[in-house]
Structures are given as C-alpha cells and as structure tokens.
Amino acid sequence: MTIRVLLADDQALLRATFRILIDSCDDMEVVGEATDGGEAVALARVHRPDLVLMDIRMPGTDGLAATSAICADPDLAGTRVLILTTFEIDEYVAQALRAGASGFLGKDVTADALLDGIRTVAAGESLLSPLATRALITRFLTAPAQGARLAAAEDLAALTAREREVMAWVAEGHSNEEIAEKLFVSPLTVRTHVHRAMTKLGARDRAQLVVIAYQSGLVQAPAPGER
C-alpha cells in the first residue's frame, strides 16, 4: 500500500524538500500541499490522505486548529496527523496531542527519521517514545484544559487488570516489544491489549491512550527532578 501524505507548512522550501524526499520512496507519495491550516483541512477532505504532516505555526488558521478540525471530522477517521515543531512551544504540541495528533517530530529531523515517523504513524502507532516527548506529556497533559479531558478515572473500570497494566507501560513510552519482554508475552498479545483498551476508552489512537492514562490518574507524572 502507498501511504498518501498531505504537507501543511507555510515555508515553500521546506514543503519542496519534504515532497522530494517522500516521493522518492516507493511506499509513499505526496497528494497535496497546504500553506496554512484552513487549506490543510480543505485538502484533507478532498484527498483523504493517510497522514498530514502538519506545522503548528502558520499564518491564518494554525496547525492546532487544523488538527482539531481534521481529527474531529468523522469522514477523516482514517487520517493521522503528525506534528512538526521546533520544540519551542511545547504547550501547543500538547494541545495538538489532546486534539488527536498522533505524535510529533522536530524540524531538524533526519531524512530517515522523518520517513520512519511517517510509516509509524500511518500504521496506527504513535511517536511518543523519545525522552523529549515523555517530558512534554508529563508536563502538560496531566492538567487538561477546560473541556479537554478525554477520560476520567471511573472510565478505566471497563478495562481488565492486564489492559490497565499494558496501558500504563504504553503511557511511559515503551514499545510493544519492550512491554512484551516485561510481561513475558508476545508483542501481538500486547498489541491486542492496546487495541482493546483503545476501543473501550474511545481513544482515536495510541497517542490518545497515553493522554487518557495521565488524565485519568492511571499514571502519575514524576515530580521535577525524577525523570
């Protein structure tokens, strides 16, 4: 299958660079380019891409508003959003994750890491493993904005003990393979637990499952200096 990618960035040179890189791969292609968030939403509804590579800071409608609109549109349920950032505005990235984005990459990312990130997110996983991301989550996602809470503690009652255990490991940034080693089960078993937890909690993807884990109190953010 070819991963269909929509680029959303106001910098023409950066879009051109990403297009050349992505189109050089046999398993992905760029289906459109947007210069602001409003255009990104419109093009997403036209092309139904598998993934939107979304910049946050753009003129007019920014990447946050565009991410919210795309992730809230039931017709775009199959479209993932991968945020591009300079890591200078962590709180904005947290808002994007709350809105349904599946992770983020820095604009200084290497070519291989960008392509791997696109493949990871398009496959339904999330980019939440790096230490910078863990710090971001523990700093901002534990105190949701008004109306932004995705789940409460009582919602976890629908989960089995093993599903809660797996969800906690996911929230701490561990991969399915790492969790499988800890629990002495197969990665496929871990993946099954993750997907069951997502279904029961109404999580769009693995990234939202992490948000829910922190917001519901299943996982506690470490105190300053403990990370």
Side-chain angles (χ1 to χ4, degrees):
M1 287 181 60
T2 300
I3 301 170
R4 303 171 71 251
V5 180
L6 173 64
L7 303 177
D9 197 298
D10 61 321
Q11 298 181 47
L13 180 59
L14 199 56
R15 290 198 315 274
T17 301
F18 286 153
R19 175 182 278 277
I20 292 171
L21 180 62
I22 292 169
D23 283 343
S24 70
C25 299
D26 293 336
D27 63 338
M28 60 183 74
E29 65 175 337
V30 174
V31 297
E33 296 184 27
T35 59
D36 61 38
E39 189 177 9
V41 175
L43 290 177
R45 288 170 176 159
V46 170
H47 296 291
R48 306 290 178 88
D50 299 302
L51 181 141
V52 180
L53 198 58
M54 181 82 73
D55 185 23
I56 287 184
R57 291 184 288 186
M58 293 183 287
T61 303
D62 64 17
L64 288 176
T67 297
S68 296
I70 289 171
C71 294
D73 189 335
D75 291 334
L76 297 176
T79 297
R80 307 296 180 200
V81 177
L82 177 56
I83 297 293
L84 286 171
T85 177
T86 57
F87 298 108
E88 296 172 353
I89 43 176
D90 287 351
E91 188 170 4
Y92 288 170
V93 177
Q95 291 176 34
L97 289 175
R98 290 192 193 108
S102 295
F104 66 90
L105 288 170
K107 284 193 173 182
D108 58 351
V109 66
T110 65
D112 287 343
L114 173 65
L115 297 175
D116 286 344
I118 290 173
R119 294 185 181 102
T120 296
V121 171
E125 300 298 327
S126 60
L127 291 180
L128 296 175
S129 296
L131 291 176
T133 311
R134 296 185 199 181
L136 164 76
I137 292 170
T138 56
R139 182 178 174 189
F140 292 107
L141 298 189
T142 52
Q146 182 97 18
R149 186 174 291 279
L150 297 178
E154 53 268 25
D155 296 318
L156 299 184
L159 304 183
T160 66
R162 180 48 62 93
E163 286 165 357
R164 286 195 295 273
E165 185 179 15
V166 169
M167 182 175 168
W169 285 116
V170 168
E172 292 182 359
H174 296 284
S175 67
N176 288 352
E177 290 71 20
E178 290 171 338
I179 298 170
E181 289 183 6
K182 294 176 183 296
L183 301 181
F184 302 101
V185 298
S186 71
L188 179 59
T189 297
V190 173
R191 185 180 181 86
T192 298
H193 287 311
V194 170
H195 280 276
R196 284 178 178 168
M198 286 167 50
T199 299
K200 291 179 179 180
L201 296 173
R204 177 185 175 92
D205 59 14
R206 195 180 180 103
Q208 283 203 333
L209 195 65
V210 173
V211 177
I212 292 171
Y214 280 100
Q215 291 185 353
S216 65
L218 177 65
V219 178
Q220 300 294 323
E226 290 184 6
R227 282 192 284 273

